[in-house]
Amino acid sequence: MMASKTLRRRLHHGDVDGRKNEHMDSIGSDSLSEPLLGNYSYDESLSEKYSRRSQQDILDEKKKEGFHWTFLFSQLIAQWAQWIANIVLGSRSILERFFPPSFSQGRQNNGKLLNFLSPLQEEKLRNLKNRAQVPFDGSRSDHQEALIHLWRLAYPNREIPALKSELWKEMGWQGTDPSTDFRGGGFISLENLLFFAKNYPDSFQILLHKGVGNRAEWEYPFAVAGINISFMLVQMLDLQAGMATSKFQTRFLEFLAEDENAFDDLYCVAFRLMDAQWLAKGASYMEFNEVLKSTRAQLEVELALDSVSNVKDLPAYTMLTR
C-alpha cells in the first residue's frame, strides 16, 4: 500500500509518450497544477514482489522508502520557508509604498536588485501575471479557435481535425483531446506556441518536425514540451512575487518595461535552447526534465549578463535567426 502511494506521488500527471509517430492517451488529472513529463508503469502487486525478494531486498526497500519520506519532509520544510519568505517580502513591499524615498535609495540599475518596481514595470508585470493566471478552457470558443489556429500554422496544407482527434498526437499532444494537456500551463502556454509559430516560423517548424540533429528513438512530444517550457519560465521568473529577488529577474523586468513581448520572445529562445541541449546531451524521453533544468540554468546565466539589454541580445537568441 505504501509503495502504491509513493508511486502515485511520483506520477504527477501520468504518462506522456514521446516516441516518433507513437503516442498514448492521457491518464492524468486535470486538477494537477504542474505539467511535468513522465512515463512509468506499475503492473505488479506488492505481495508478488515481496514473495520473490530476499529479506535483504525487503530491508533495502524499506531504506529507500525511508529516504523518500525524508526527502518529502525536507521539501515540506523548504515550502514553509518559502512561504515565510514571501510574507516577509510582502511586508517589505507595503513599507516601500508608504516610504518610497528611503527605500528608493537602495534601488540600483545595471543588473542589480530592484527594491521596488517603477509604475511602468508594475503595469507590465501585472498584465503578464494576469495572462499567466488564465486557465485553458476547452469549452470557450476563443480558446478552441486559438487551438485550431495553431494547427493551421503548424500544418498549413492539411485539413483541420476535430477538437478531439488522433491527429493531434502528431503535434505532440499526449491524447486525442489537447485541452486535457494544459493543466498548470494555462492559456498562456498556447499563446506562447502561437507567438513562436507566427514570429519564428522556421525554428517552429524545425522543432515541430525534429528537423535537425541526430534525434533520439524516443523523442520529447513537441506540444507538451512547449507547455512545460511556459510553466518553467513562470516559475523561474517568479511572476507571483511582485518584485525581483535575483539579478536575472531584475534584468527581465527591465526588458518587460521596454517590450511587452519579452516573455514570449524568451519562451522562443528557451524552446530552441532546450532542443539544442537535448541534442548536445544525446538525451531521450526520460531525461527531459534534466534537460529542462539545464535550460533554465543557462537562461538565468544569460539574463544576468551585463552586456544584455533585451531578450534579443541573449547569446541563445541567435539560434532563432539561423
Side-chain angles (χ1 to χ4, degrees):
M1 188 66 174
M2 184 63 71
S4 177
K5 288 182 178 179
T6 302
L7 182 64
R8 286 199 297 270
R9 292 190 183 98
R10 291 175 181 170
L11 282 175
H12 285 287
H13 292 108
D15 298 344
V16 179
D17 194 338
R19 290 184 184 274
K20 292 179 180 178
N21 301 320
E22 181 182 351
H23 300 277
M24 296 172 60
D25 287 340
S26 169
I27 61 173
S29 168
D30 290 339
S31 64
L32 298 174
S33 61
E34 183 176 355
L36 298 179
L37 296 177
N39 190 33
Y40 306 88
S41 62
Y42 189 69
D43 302 320
E44 204 169 27
S45 70
L46 189 61
S47 60
E48 289 173 333
K49 288 186 177 182
Y50 278 6
S51 65
R52 293 197 300 272
R53 290 180 179 175
S54 65
Q55 186 65 29
Q56 184 60 45
D57 289 333
I58 295 174
L59 291 175
D60 289 343
E61 186 66 25
K62 288 183 177 180
K63 287 181 180 180
K64 291 178 181 178
E65 191 172 291
F67 291 148
H68 176 69
W69 280 106
T70 300
F71 172 76
L72 290 178
F73 185 69
S74 65
Q75 289 284 85
L76 181 61
I77 293 175
Q79 290 173 6
W80 273 98
Q82 182 62 47
W83 178 71
I84 293 173
N86 288 341
I87 292 176
V88 173
L89 290 174
S91 300
R92 181 179 179 181
S93 178
I94 293 173
L95 290 174
E96 289 168 353
R97 291 180 179 276
F98 280 103
F99 306 102
S102 60
F103 279 92
S104 64
Q105 294 176 359
R107 180 182 177 181
Q108 298 291 333
N109 292 319
N110 301 321
K112 296 183 180 180
L113 297 187
L114 297 175
N115 287 329
F116 69 94
L117 305 181
S118 69
L120 180 59
Q121 287 174 322
E122 286 187 343
E123 179 186 356
K124 295 295 181 67
L125 180 58
R126 182 170 55 253
N127 292 339
L128 181 56
K129 287 169 65 176
N130 289 339
R131 286 179 60 194
Q133 291 171 354
V134 177
F136 181 87
D137 185 349
S139 66
R140 286 181 54 169
S141 60
D142 55 335
H143 288 199
Q144 294 174 4
E145 183 57 37
L147 191 59
I148 292 172
H149 189 39
L150 179 64
W151 178 274
R152 291 195 189 100
L153 293 171
Y155 307 108
N157 299 318
R158 295 180 59 180
E159 183 179 352
I160 299 172
L163 291 174
K164 293 183 180 180
S165 169
E166 291 287 331
L167 293 176
W168 288 105
K169 294 181 181 180
E170 296 181 22
M171 193 187 290
W173 303 100
Q174 62 177 330
T176 59
D177 183 2
S179 67
T180 63
D181 288 340
F182 287 96
R183 300 188 180 96
F187 186 63
I188 193 173
S189 58
L190 179 53
E191 291 180 320
N192 291 154
L193 283 168
L194 285 167
F195 183 90
F196 193 10
K198 292 175 184 177
N199 292 274
Y200 306 98
D202 292 341
S203 286
F204 179 89
Q205 291 293 331
I206 287 173
L207 300 192
L208 172 64
H209 298 289
K210 307 297 192 297
V212 296
N214 296 320
R215 313 306 305 196
E217 179 63 24
W218 201 3
E219 276 287 325
Y220 64 84
F222 174 79
V224 177
I227 294 175
N228 277 264
I229 291 171
S230 296
F231 185 87
M232 178 271 287
L233 289 177
V234 170
Q235 296 297 302
M236 181 187 83
L237 298 171
D238 199 10
L239 296 183
Q240 303 306 318
M243 64 179 296
T245 57
S246 67
K247 183 177 180 179
F248 70 84
Q249 290 170 348
T250 296
R251 188 60 56 78
F252 174 76
L253 291 177
E254 293 172 355
F255 299 167
L256 188 62
E258 300 298 325
D259 181 8
E260 62 182 5
N261 292 325
F263 183 84
D264 300 273
D265 275 322
L266 185 62
Y267 170 88
C268 300
V269 172
F271 211 144
R272 196 64 199 263
L273 178 60
M274 183 280 294
D275 187 74
Q277 295 208 8
W278 176 274
L279 292 174
K281 295 174 183 293
S284 187
Y285 177 83
M286 296 304 292
E287 299 168 284
F288 178 83
N289 285 336
E290 291 303 314
V291 174
L292 198 60
K293 289 178 182 177
S294 63
T295 301
R296 170 174 173 164
Q298 181 62 29
L299 287 174
E300 291 177 356
V301 170
E302 294 194 12
L303 283 169
L305 293 175
D306 292 334
S307 59
V308 171
S309 59
N310 57 66
V311 173
K312 295 181 180 181
D313 285 339
L314 297 175
Y317 180 82
T318 59
M319 291 187 290
L320 286 172
T321 57
R322 289 176 183 172

